[in-house]
Amino acid sequence: MGGAHSREDLELLDSDEEQQSEGEENYQDAEEKSQRSAERGPKTPSSVEDVEAKLKALKLKYASPSQSPNLKNAVKLYLHVGGNTPKAKWVTSEKLTCYSFSKTSRMEVDDEEYVEEEEDDDVEKEDSWWILRVGAKIRVKVSAEMQLKTFGSERRVDFVARGVWAMKFFTVEDYKVFVGKFTDCMFENTYGYEATEQNRVKVYGKDFIGWAKPEAADDSVWEDAEDSLLSSPGSATPVRANQDLREEFEEAAHGGIQSLALGALDNSFLVGDSGIQVVKNFSHGIQGKGVYVNFDDGSYRGGSSLARSTPRKALLMRAETNMLLMSPMNEGKPHTTGLHQFDIETGKVVTEWKFEKDGTDITMRDITNDSKGAQLDPSGSTFLGLDDNRLCRWDMRDRKGMVQDLARANAPILNWNQGHQFSRGTNFQCFASTGDGSIVVGSLDGKIRLYSINSMRQAKTAFPGLGSPITHVDVTYDGKWILGTTDTYLILICTMFTDKDGKTKTGFAGRMGNRISAPRLLKLTPLDSHLAGTNNKFRNAQFSWVTENGKQERHLVATVGKFSVIWNFQQVKNGSHECYLNQEGLKSCYCYKIVLKDDSIVDSRFMHDKFAVTDSPEAPLVIATPLKVSSFSISSRR
């Protein structure tokens, strides 16, 4: 458990004055000579001059800070060793080397080496891309997976390439040239177009040019948000509070946990391979009640198939007395043709529903509540459904007003209540609803679309993609902020804008035109990204949970492998905090805390804000692994 900068604060071997630019060897030689001198007999220097005289006697070599080697694209290369141990440090890998960007038609990566085929200058192939070479040690495709982090004040960039590396540039100009070229190569690798102004407009659209050139974007909406939040009584979390995570409770789970359904009332639920474990909600977290319901206990007379497939999604409904359980048709595929309705009070599956439209079976890849607080509505009978090219609302009430005969083997049909089937190309992946029922949808191409409560046919606003698929999306209760999850970063978007009449609206209620601010990215540092593991990706980023107008979410949380990563929402919006200083491109926030578990995390979510207590600014955080569930409190230490 710790903050993002706890390991990054390790300084590079040389300071800004380059006092050890000749590498580790001289430093180690000096240390060995000092040790030998100490063995002959310790002497306390009488003055600073004596110390300097002794250092000069060692004949250490120093370079002038203004001295730049006569080598094109010259850099110093460092490697981070020691991981997350007390011995972690930066070591000099190359005292003087150079980098280059080159186009390649193929790059195969295995455990030993990179193999490339260079293209001729006059030949362009469809599968070509830019790679970065640094000396003889680094060959890496320019991509978001590198997790490049810039340090303008230090003329330094850190990145991941089978390890964590740092390059230090000899002049500010060298640094800026590298960052500019890297940005252009990234654009071309991502979109397949050369990084020209015309192509940037082609990719982002003229209204979103601030996404390509953040320095030209209107960020006043972020500043307005900061001012309003600071004066809001519902946002008592200090911007720079020294916050601590305190584990309150941990217990073993019954069976392998697959998903987490948090309740805002008395209970929450852990959905596992063979059943549902009921846990009780407390102000310090969740705790087991000893109640477990098996799927295969004959609870459904129609012969439910639930026992043969593990539910991937659990959705609470009807004042949390019912739960919809959605299982994929095939392993590894999210789509399903139906779902089970589970009565929590009786512990039985009461209905097995089918998805159908115009007499034809269809699939859904995700479901969610009509609105942020809909699960608390005791009469709720509708919910939202999403498939690759469908957005709809399903109704569980029978058209003829008849009670479903549970003895029938045939599954009843859900009523297509409202929605739209798009012809092609939307590639929807995930969605979420606001407090008033507006809908945000994330797509495979990275686009994020906003639909009002009145229409599912045409998006009011469509934000362009940054090149990575949106795998999960969440939205604040008031609809003003959207959080999208990609494999390598989170994207935070402000939907507020001022219309031509001077009224403040969200992108759900009107077309934003060109009055759109640039988004902010939330990332792991290169070191933390490397420690998380190459195959571990960001998953399920979401805001803390409020269901009341006027209250503001305080934190964001996401999982990466065994990490649960937490950001202070108000700090992310504060444009003057340290992360954003001297950054190039879209502002990226690295100020977070990490909770490390012993096993891969299934889900990390904040409980409803009604469970926040007086000594904590936030409701407890619940972290579920396949075999354990833990609760944490966030306390403010003064």
Side-chain angles (χ1 to χ4, degrees):
M1 180 185 318
H5 297 293
S6 58
R7 292 178 298 278
E8 200 174 46
D9 286 338
L10 296 170
E11 296 294 334
L12 294 178
L13 287 180
D14 54 349
S15 66
D16 287 339
E17 287 76 25
E18 302 285 339
Q19 284 191 334
Q20 290 173 325
S21 62
E22 290 302 313
E24 272 190 313
E25 293 85 350
N26 288 330
Y27 174 81
Q28 292 170 342
D29 289 345
E31 192 176 48
E32 290 169 5
K33 291 179 181 179
S34 296
Q35 288 175 347
R36 289 196 296 269
S37 175
E39 289 170 1
R40 288 194 297 267
K43 293 183 179 179
T44 303
S46 58
S47 67
V48 174
E49 288 75 11
D50 290 342
V51 175
E52 290 183 348
K54 290 180 180 296
L55 289 174
K56 289 179 181 179
L58 296 176
K59 297 181 179 179
L60 296 177
K61 297 179 181 179
Y62 298 93
S64 166
S66 61
Q67 182 180 348
S68 181
N70 187 21
L71 182 66
K72 185 179 180 181
N73 298 335
V75 293
K76 294 187 64 177
L77 182 65
Y78 300 85
L79 175 66
H80 193 276
V81 298
N84 193 21
T85 69
K87 294 184 178 180
K89 62 180 179 179
W90 290 99
V91 298
T92 305
S93 177
E94 295 283 350
K95 291 179 287 185
L96 181 61
T97 187
C98 61
Y99 74 87
S100 64
F101 291 97
S102 57
K103 205 76 171 290
T104 180
S105 62
R106 180 170 59 92
M107 184 168 68
E108 299 172 355
V109 182
D110 55 31
D111 291 337
E112 297 297 330
E113 60 182 351
Y114 291 85
V115 180
E116 302 104 4
E117 291 181 358
E118 296 296 334
E119 288 188 351
D120 295 333
D121 292 339
D122 58 346
V123 176
E124 289 291 335
K125 298 183 181 179
E126 291 185 0
D127 61 347
S128 62
W129 50 67
W130 288 98
I131 64 169
L132 169 66
R133 300 170 176 265
V134 186
K137 295 185 177 181
I138 297 173
R139 308 285 187 279
V140 60
K141 180 181 177 180
V142 176
S143 67
E145 284 71 24
M146 286 180 63
Q147 297 285 6
L148 187 86
K149 183 177 181 183
T150 60
F151 300 83
S153 61
E154 300 178 37
R155 310 187 309 278
R156 160 190 167 195
V157 296
D158 293 3
F159 59 93
V160 178
R162 294 188 179 184
V164 183
W165 304 86
M167 287 198 303
K168 187 101 178 224
F169 300 85
F170 290 92
T171 68
V172 173
E173 183 60 31
D174 290 345
Y175 163 80
K176 289 183 176 179
V177 167
F178 172 86
V179 173
K181 181 62 175 176
F182 183 92
T183 302
D184 289 347
C185 290
M186 173 83 92
F187 181 91
E188 188 169 341
N189 280 355
T190 301
Y191 300 107
Y193 300 111
E194 185 181 352
T196 64
E197 292 298 316
Q198 183 179 2
N199 285 337
R200 286 190 171 92
V201 173
K202 183 177 182 179
V203 167
Y204 294 106
K206 61 182 181 181
D207 292 339
F208 293 89
I209 198 62
W211 291 42
K213 300 175 65 176
E215 64 277 4
D218 179 9
D219 273 353
S220 60
V221 68
W222 290 87
E223 296 165 6
D224 294 343
E226 293 159 20
D227 293 340
S228 63
L229 284 168
L230 287 170
S231 60
S232 169
S235 60
T237 310
V239 174
R240 291 186 175 84
N242 186 10
Q243 294 178 334
D244 191 33
L245 286 166
R246 183 175 67 250
E247 186 167 14
E248 299 281 8
F249 189 79
E250 180 181 84
E251 70 172 23
H254 190 290
I257 300 175
Q258 297 293 325
S259 62
L260 182 64
L262 288 182
L265 301 177
D266 293 335
N267 301 317
S268 290
F269 308 89
L270 310 176
V271 182
D273 295 329
S274 58
I276 297 173
Q277 182 177 349
V278 185
V279 292
K280 188 164 180 61
N281 294 330
F282 296 97
S283 60
H284 61 268
I286 62 175
Q287 191 167 343
K289 296 176 66 174
V291 178
Y292 191 84
V293 180
N294 289 306
F295 291 139
D296 57 354
D297 61 356
S299 61
Y300 179 51
R301 287 175 286 166
S304 171
S305 61
L306 192 57
R308 298 189 295 274
S309 61
T310 302
R312 183 184 62 86
K313 181 72 175 277
L315 191 70
L316 289 170
M317 290 190 67
R318 295 180 177 173
E320 301 179 358
T321 62
N322 278 241
M323 182 185 297
L324 299 182
L325 297 168
M326 187 173 173
S327 305
M329 291 184 299
N330 302 308
E331 200 66 34
K333 298 286 186 180
H335 307 80
T336 184
T337 56
L339 45 77
H340 297 81
Q341 182 181 349
F342 182 80
D343 189 310
I344 294 168
E345 295 177 329
T346 63
K348 296 181 182 298
V349 173
V350 294
T351 312
E352 189 171 352
W353 296 99
K354 286 182 63 179
F355 297 120
E356 184 180 292
K357 184 179 186 295
D358 300 330
T360 303
D361 289 347
I362 63 173
T363 61
M364 291 281 110
R365 69 179 297 137
D366 200 5
I367 57 174
T368 195
N369 294 109
D370 282 337
S371 65
K372 280 279 187 185
Q375 71 185 60
L376 301 175
D377 180 3
S379 61
S381 295
T382 61
F383 62 94
L384 300 170
L386 184 82
D387 205 21
D388 295 358
N389 297 301
R390 297 186 187 99
L391 177 61
C392 62
R393 178 173 283 108
W394 295 105
D395 194 333
M396 296 188 293
R397 291 168 294 193
D398 188 83
R399 290 192 185 100
K400 301 175 182 178
M402 296 177 61
V403 176
Q404 178 64 43
D405 181 2
L406 298 183
R408 292 174 54 191
N410 294 332
I413 307 302
L414 285 161
N415 300 322
W416 178 286
N417 179 276
Q418 176 190 1
H420 186 65
Q421 182 162 324
F422 299 86
S423 57
R424 58 185 174 83
T426 54
N427 289 315
F428 293 151
Q429 297 288 296
C430 49
F431 68 152
S433 55
T434 66
D436 68 0
S438 299
I439 305 167
V440 54
V441 183
S443 300
L444 187 65
D445 59 4
K447 288 185 178 178
I448 293 178
R449 296 174 173 88
L450 310 186
Y451 294 86
S452 74
I453 58 175
N454 300 317
S455 174
M456 296 183 181
R457 180 173 294 273
Q458 186 172 11
K460 287 288 187 181
T461 301
F463 296 102
L466 294 179
S468 299
I470 302 296
T471 60
H472 188 270
V473 70
D474 196 15
V475 59
T476 55
Y477 185 82
D478 58 18
K480 294 179 179 179
W481 306 92
I482 293 168
L483 182 63
T485 305
T486 76
D487 288 350
T488 52
Y489 57 85
L490 312 181
I491 177 171
L492 181 67
I493 299 172
C494 181
T495 70
M496 292 182 288
F497 73 101
T498 303
D499 67 11
K500 59 183 180 181
D501 297 325
K503 295 180 180 179
T504 300
K505 295 181 178 179
T506 71
F508 293 100
R511 297 191 177 279
M512 299 178 71
N514 59 2
R515 298 173 294 277
I516 298 170
S517 61
R520 293 186 180 170
L521 305 182
L522 284 66
K523 297 180 179 180
L524 292 181
T525 64
L527 177 57
D528 282 335
S529 177
H530 181 65
L531 293 174
T534 54
N535 295 321
N536 289 317
K537 303 172 174 60
F538 271 122
R539 291 186 298 107
N540 299 350
Q542 47 208 323
F543 296 100
S544 51
W545 187 13
V546 303
T547 56
E548 185 179 335
N549 279 322
K551 286 203 171 184
Q552 179 66 65
E553 292 81 353
R554 292 191 177 96
H555 289 88
L556 321 169
V557 63
T559 63
V560 186
K562 297 179 181 180
F563 292 169
S564 180
V565 191
I566 304 131
W567 279 265
N568 181 310
F569 187 22
Q570 192 169 324
Q571 187 177 58
V572 172
K573 288 178 281 192
N574 178 9
S576 62
H577 91 87
E578 59 180 332
C579 272
Y580 301 142
L581 301 178
N582 301 310
Q583 279 197 4
E584 305 287 337
L586 292 175
K587 291 181 179 178
S588 298
C589 182
Y590 299 90
C591 289
Y592 51 77
K593 286 184 177 291
I594 287 178
V595 177
L596 174 62
K597 303 302 290 183
D598 295 331
D599 202 354
S600 291
I601 295 173
V602 173
D603 205 356
S604 303
R605 294 181 59 186
F606 282 99
M607 296 178 67
H608 192 274
D609 71 329
K610 67 180 282 186
F611 294 104
V613 291
T614 55
D615 65 342
S616 173
E618 184 65 271
L621 172 68
V622 177
I623 301 177
T625 64
L627 299 178
K628 292 181 181 179
V629 60
S630 307
S631 300
F632 292 82
S633 288
I634 296 181
S635 61
S636 290
R637 294 179 299 170
R638 294 290 182 260

